[in-house]
Amino acid sequence: LKAERLEQRKAKEEKLTTARMELDGDEGPAPGAPVPPAEPACDEAGGLSLALLGRLQAQLDALIDEKDARLKTLQKLHAEADALRATLGYEVEEAEAEANVSRAAIAAAEATLQAFVEEKQKRHDILTDCMVYIDQLHTKLQIPQAERTALPDVEKEGLTPEVLATYNVELERLEQI
């Protein structure tokens, strides 16, 4: 019985160590993270008790839940970034199983997503300005609706560089008239 519990304890402690390393990455534990209580040594009283094994399992379960939550967060961030990549005309990266679930990996995914959000807003603002200016030129030049160049639908085509270029070409054409 003692040998069996010793094996169980060692296995749980190894899994705990591995899980903590996966969650903490290179940066170590989060500041203010709860420190697991010091457990009695294997040869001390209570060192192989069922209560201790239960506490170790509870810690392991909590770490597994944290890893699952982080994995879901990363998947959500990557899905949002992929949608923006497509909208912006970038190739969507191949989805891969997320091995790194550290806080640094989540922060990197958040930063990537934020960069795409900012790029989308920038392109949207540029395109809106182009649309307004094109409309003003159409009015100023008194170009009938039937003679206006059909421009790409941003809702369907996205905010790709090609769409922006098409609007830019139309602006330049109208300015030459």
Side-chain angles (χ1 to χ4, degrees), residues 2-165:
K2 182 177 179 180
E4 184 180 318
R5 287 195 183 171
L6 182 60
E7 274 303 308
Q8 289 176 351
R9 179 176 173 162
K10 285 183 180 181
K12 288 182 189 313
E13 286 175 337
E14 285 176 18
K15 288 178 183 178
L16 279 168
T17 300
T18 301
R20 285 186 184 115
M21 287 173 44
E22 287 177 352
L23 293 174
D24 294 339
D26 293 336
E27 65 267 14
V35 178
E39 303 294 354
C42 293
D43 57 352
E44 293 178 6
L48 297 176
S49 70
L50 288 176
L52 172 70
L53 293 175
R55 283 194 307 272
L56 292 175
Q57 186 61 49
Q59 290 174 22
L60 184 58
D61 291 345
L63 291 176
I64 290 170
D65 290 346
E66 175 67 17
K67 181 179 179 182
D68 290 344
R70 288 186 187 187
L71 191 56
K72 286 178 184 174
T73 298
L74 280 168
Q75 289 169 341
K76 180 179 178 266
L77 291 169
H78 287 303
E80 290 177 26
D82 287 346
L84 286 171
R85 274 188 187 93
T87 298
L88 296 170
Y90 297 130
E91 287 195 26
V92 176
E93 295 178 356
E94 178 131 352
E96 58 186 62
E98 195 62 52
N100 185 356
V101 293
S102 68
R103 290 182 318 281
I106 291 173
E110 288 171 338
T112 298
L113 178 60
Q114 184 60 35
F116 285 134
V117 166
E118 290 170 2
E119 179 68 17
K120 179 182 176 186
Q121 186 61 49
K122 176 182 164 190
R123 289 185 187 185
H124 183 270
D125 292 347
I126 290 170
L127 197 55
T128 300
D129 290 345
C130 284
M131 288 177 186
V132 168
Y133 191 46
I134 287 171
D135 191 49
Q136 289 173 348
L137 288 172
H138 282 149
T139 303
K140 179 179 177 183
L141 298 170
Q142 298 177 345
I143 299 174
Q145 188 72 30
E147 295 177 19
R148 295 180 184 182
T149 303
L151 295 169
D153 181 0
V154 178
E155 294 297 319
K156 292 179 184 173
E157 304 292 325
L159 295 167
T160 65
E162 294 79 17
V163 169
L164 291 173

